[in-house]
Amino acid sequence: LSLALYAGSLCAASSAAFLYHDYCIIGAGPSGLQVAYFLQQAGRDYIVFERSHAPGSFFALYPRHRKLISINKQYTGKSNSEFNLRHDWNSLLSHDRRLLFRHYSRDFFPNADAMVHYLEDFASMLKLQVQYNTAIIHVTLEKDEQAWNGHYFLLTDQDRQNYKCSSLLVATGTWVPNVVNFPGSEYVEGYETVSINPEDFAGQTVLILGRGNSAFETAENILGVTNFIHMVSRSRVRLSWATHYVGDLRAINNGLLDTYQLKSLDGLLEGDLEDLAIVKDKKGKLHITLRFYLENRNTSAGIDSIILPQDELDNFATRAPYDRVIRCLGWKFDFSIYNRSLRLMPGKGNKKKYPQIKPSYESRGTRGLFILGTASHSVDFRKSAGGFIHGFRYTTRAVHRLLENRHHGVPWPSTVYPITQLTNSIIKRVNEASGLYQMFSVLADIILLRENATAFEYLEEYPVGVLAELETQTGRRAPNGLFVVIMEYGRNFSGADKDVFYYNRAVGEAQHAWQSNFLHPVIYYYKHLPTEREMKLRPPDWPLPRPDAVHHIVEDFLTDWTAPNAHVLPLRRFLENCLSTDLRNFFAESCFFFAFTRQKLPPFCQQGYVGMQGLLGSEGLRRHAVEAGLLEDYAPRDFSGDKTPDSREGSQDQLLRDHAIPVRPLQHLVNAKDE
Amino acid sequence: MSARKGRWVSSFSFLLFWASSIPRRGSARLLQELSPQEYFGSLQAGRASLAYFSRNASPGAQPFLEQIENSAEALQDYGISVVKVNCPKEDVSRYCGKENTLRKAYLFRGSMLIREFPTDALFDVNSIVANVLFALLFNEVKYVETLADLQNIENALKGRANMVFAYVPATGTAEHRAVMEAAFVYGTVHQFVLTTEATLLRDTGDDEPDVASARLLFCHCQRATDLAQPCRRTAMGQALTMLNIHRHLKLMGAPLVTEVAEDPEKVSTVHLQLGLPLVFILSQKETYEADRRTAEFVAWQLLGKAGVALLSRDLVDLNILLKSNVALKTPDEGVPVKYLVLEDTDEVITLVEDKSKVGQIQEEEEEEEDEDEKQNNNQDIQDDQVVEAVARDKKRELPLEQILVLTEETFHSALLEAARTVVLFYASWEAVSLAVLRSYAEVADHLKGTQGVSLAQVNCWDWPGVCTKENVTQFPTIRIYEKGERWVMYDGMWGTEELTSFIMLSRVSCPLKLATIEEAEGYLRGEFPSELSSYHHTSVLGVFSMATSEARKAFEEAGNILSGHVTMGMYFEDDALALSRKYAVSPPALLLARSGGQSVEGIALSKQSAQDMVRMIRYELLDVFPEITVQNLPRYLQLRKPFLILFSDGDIGEMESKEMLKLAKGRPRQAFVACWLNLKKTPVGRGVLKVYFATVPSPPLLLWVNLHAGGRVFQFPSEQTVTEMNVLSWLERLKAGLESPSSTLSEEDWKPPLPAYDFLQMMETAVPEVPLHPSHRHGDTPVPKSPGGDTTVREEPSQETKAEKGGSPGRDLRGTAPRLAAREKQGKRHSEL
């Protein structure tokens, strides 16, 4: 008895007592583990709750046919690890090079089991604090002025254990299957449970509801053995190569489009699923009809009394009966566990499967509640990659940096450079940064100018939607203007109905770079940090409000933006004109000349030569510069030139400009080829 | 009439002579004084004379008389004699009788009176000459008042002769005279038309005519084929003087396009003789017709500014011609013909207009405008000397065999292999990095076989992880790692010698502990340690007694900071006192041995912090009277003092050297940097001198250059010899403001060399519906020029025309250089294969 009493009191005590952590993370999927990694690296007090016994439970079941559509590119021809992440869509970010996905699968489209394995290793090798078999079933708030956000989050698990946290990071993904209810929907099988053995579909006629990757993946699997497959959904099919959105239908799954358009009995139909009804006949065949017909009849009557559309319209498209109907309508966020006080609301329109959040990934309703991973996709739904591992690994890092600044006084990491490194630092980032590339138009590098533009501070991958709050969110100051480095597709290039292979789609010349269509770097210049209001009033489809100046680096077939004339030179001119200075490099000899002939020196000479780091250059380079007319040779053999006063007069700077009459050797090469 | 004209024309060469060098002859002698009888008796048929009649000089006529006398000489050049007729008192004839006739002058041709002038119309020489010629050249110079008159004359001339149309604000002015004088010479060749009505100018295409200034237009009516169209006009840009008009008419008379078939160096045309450039359009048989049209188009644009010649490549065997399409010959002697590749006719015109600008001093405003225009065309041309030099060198394979290429995997293990590993962190796309890499390869070559030092490189573009982990944020960075543990960053000049020396000096620990007094002496002589004996360097020896451990610590710290830049030794054994006594210092002290221990200087150490010590050692290392070079200038610039600098062509003389050294060591040493510059070793010094002086005086030149305050440059009087006394007193005069500077350094800021592409504006122009901004600017944003709009451009004989025709738009590869794409002017876009 006493034992029982003891046990009882313990139980009571434990349900009353809260286990406290600064950070609670719900879900040990990719984003939950990713944020756990950053918190662990920063030495924060955190815990991850996972309802399953292992991480990545979603991937243990889905995708049903086990083929991930995130690419796992083994080779890029480059050794740059940051650059290579641009083509590795499965790895999470960590310092451990063993935890790269290519060590887990050699397939370009890997098996989902590899992901499960990878996530297990990620959690265990990095010793992340994950509490498995803990399903959080309720979340509520406790007001407390001492708390970071004015309240604590109280979490309850399936065993009535309570947890108290200062900050709640929701990384549960979207796992609740979307269902539609219409008469006869009980005959519909769900993607979650439908057989994946093609044998089971031999000689059958199948109707699939939905038009996403899961629907096509299901169709692809049984394409070869069915009589025919029809697919119904409300909207037309969106092909990812037309929309540049990885969540739209991927080429790897679209075999049915091929057979449809090549007249092989399969087909696509458009229609609202809500209007649908299914009736089963005596032979067990499923007939499609419309809800409208069912509502107007006597419910007690048998199947024969039901009017089918083909009775009135004898060429009705889906008049043939089906053997099976499969629902593949995707998933939505689980809103059920959050107390009303958290005001976690679904989004509007096609974003209703996601909770409403700000561009900083914080819930609109509750301060201190952040949504991570797939569930945070409302920020860039159908635009960028925030709903996928290769995107949210970066947005998660951004959220972590916001938290570090907000709660621990650790400002956003930044590097201060002299202004002479401005062009270089941008070129370096746009060429290798993966976060900018994956999360195009969402994450941006920010360059904060110091007074008199002699130096600048470089911040990486800041969520551009909260640009107006930059100073409070990062702990960095922006009083002297800033550049925003971001990547964009051409504004009118992508779209479900766009022809993305039209002739002359690519821009080759730097001067027309603003018309670039493929993903390319864009640099915005603001003299002052944009205000909230300006952010709100920005033109639709613009990631940012109107800048004081903007520069596009022309799209490049190799995404290699290091060409000195086509990429670097126009960028330098842009930066120079924004800052009203001269950012050219000079050999020491030129700096010497300027030191004796001008009262002011260009930044490169001031910061290099005068600081005793002049670029002397080899004799060969000096000769090239002289030949190019960019450096004057005063050596005595040139002395005859001195006697004709007109020929060599003027300062060297004039000379630098006067080399103007260009000899363009390239042309002759071209011409020679053509002749 | 015609006989007279013939004579006048033949007097042309004489006229020119007169015009260019007005001979000073006694004017009084030219004015004849005759009695009425004598005068009327001497009048010859066809010969003009200007006479005035006077009865005892009336006082009011006196100034008028002077002007008449003065103009006699000028008028004589046109065969017009000037006569003063003295009327006898009793004479009451037509000219002498009435009082009012005495206030007039009379122009006769033979005995016929052409015109009488009131004396107030003849107020000076210009008005006299202008009015007299105006009266005589009644047929040659038509005076018009209405537009209709002008058009009638113009129409009548079409297809027959050219017209010279002049506007002068008033008659009797210098401009009027110049026009009349020109008409005297050219009146038979061209029809002259004169007006004083400014409204007529408006019709000549000049919307806002400057009514106050005279204008002259050459109207090409002879060539006019279309009677409905007005004749083409070429305005004279210069002021209306006889010489300018003559030059202008001469240019207008020259053939529009000259065809030449010889070496351009040998060609000479009227343009070159008149000091204008000559543009050659290089043609070939196949495109002759088109080239001819281009040449004519250009010639019309350049009429009056330059000549245009059509040069056939087929006839002249010059290699260079194959590569270019245009050549430019300037009138300056000894300047070689320039061969160029230009894209369109606008560039030819800009080229000429820019060139002629050099000679003339024009208003700054205009110049700036021009410059802007020019700059816009050159935005895509590299103007960064380092980037361009590296780009031009990129095909050359660098000799990098001596340099280890490190990767993420090998970085740490490689550092452990040698005692010292020099690592260059660079980015393979970055120009400065690549320039340094070239010097680095040379260093590797110098250090080949040196024990204990290995050279390595890390390409941060390939291995960003290493660079991030090593906290390398800027390229290039050079560090010397010791056994993979601590490292020293190289912070000297990016040059072969400097880096080599740094690496060599870093091999020896700094400071080096010297164990015996023999070692210390050897160290001061530069013989110890032996690995440095071949390197010229200054040695710093710290002498400490056992008690001065604090100073010793600071010295050691300073050694760490200065490692690689200087050799430092320290000695703190028991017999340190012996050493200090020998050099008359008391420990703690520094002994400074310059150039192999020939002189040892002792300095007491009073400051204790390492930073102070670093500063002091750096200062002490500076030479008293250094030779300034590109490499060492920054060290002296940091003193932020004016420079007293002797520019010398070669080594400086012994005397000057001695005097300068005295100056340098003297009392005002604190006030300025006394130094010299060897123009042979540092030729860029010539460039500096050229900026200071319009004509560079011959060296040696002693200059006071105040680099940091005011930027004024003074030249020591060349007639004085450089002695300490002379220079000091000159410096006093400078200080007192008694000397005027030879030059002042430009205060100009470093602005962007060229504008950037204004994409914001392009977007607004192209997509006006996008509400990019508060709408006010929509209206006034200029539409960007459509590329290649001028059809003449395409007739340009340059070879790109062919490429344009030959290449179908789809053949280009995206991502190749934009120039390749630029060939197609309208086709802005092209797709990949």
Side-chain angles (χ1 to χ4, degrees), chain A residues 593 597-598 632 634 649-656, chain B residues 691:
Chain A
F593 178 84
T597 54
R598 310 269 298 241
E632 190 164 350
Y634 294 99
E649 222 163 75
S651 73
Q652 182 154 5
D653 190 44
Q654 259 172 2
L655 253 152
L656 290 173
Chain B
V691 174

Side-chain angles (χ1 to χ4, degrees), chain B residues 88-108:
Chain B
K89 267 186 188 142
E90 62 285 4
D91 195 336
V92 286
S93 67
R94 179 176 170 200
Y95 297 106
C96 286
K98 287 167 238 152
E99 189 61 26
N100 63 345
T101 58
L102 297 175
R103 298 197 178 282
K104 284 180 179 161
Y106 298 88
L107 180 66
F108 291 91

Side-chain angles (χ1 to χ4, degrees), chain B residues 687-739:
Chain B
V688 173
L689 290 179
K690 274 190 227 170
V691 174
Y692 292 167
F693 302 102
T695 47
V696 180
S698 62
L701 272 173
L702 182 62
L703 301 180
W704 175 268
V705 186
N706 202 339
L707 292 176
H708 303 287
R712 293 202 289 183
V713 179
F714 295 89
Q715 185 197 352
F716 180 72
S718 54
E719 65 275 9
Q720 291 186 33
T721 48
V722 177
T723 65
E724 189 187 6
M725 285 317 295
N726 284 349
V727 175
L728 280 178
S729 65
W730 174 62
L731 289 181
E732 285 303 318
R733 287 172 55 77
L734 284 190
K735 224 178 267 170
L738 297 173
E739 298 278 331

Side-chain angles (χ1 to χ4, degrees), chain B residues 504-519:
Chain B
M504 290 313 288
L505 295 191
S506 319
R507 290 168 71 203
V508 177
S509 57
C510 186
L512 181 69
K513 287 193 183 84
L514 301 169
T516 65
I517 196 141
E518 286 74 33
E519 272 185 5

Side-chain angles (χ1 to χ4, degrees), chain B residues 497-509:
Chain B
E497 276 170 44
E498 289 74 12
L499 180 58
T500 309
S501 143
F502 185 88
I503 294 169
M504 290 313 288
L505 295 191
S506 319
R507 290 168 71 203
V508 177
S509 57

Side-chain angles (χ1 to χ4, degrees), chain B residues 202-256:
Chain B
R202 217 156 273 146
D203 180 57
T204 65
D206 206 343
D207 286 336
E208 292 291 327
D210 179 3
V211 176
S213 63
R215 306 244 302 148
L216 183 133
L217 297 126
F218 189 88
C219 310
H220 305 264
C221 292
Q222 200 167 21
R223 287 169 168 270
T225 43
D226 186 354
L227 289 176
Q229 290 287 315
C231 309
R232 229 184 231 270
R233 295 181 153 129
T234 311
M236 188 174 89
Q238 297 87 359
L240 259 68
T241 67
M242 177 58 202
L243 266 187
N244 285 341
I245 297 173
H246 164 63
R247 194 163 164 271
H248 191 65
L249 296 182
K250 196 107 207 261
L251 288 172
M252 295 303 116
L256 191 60

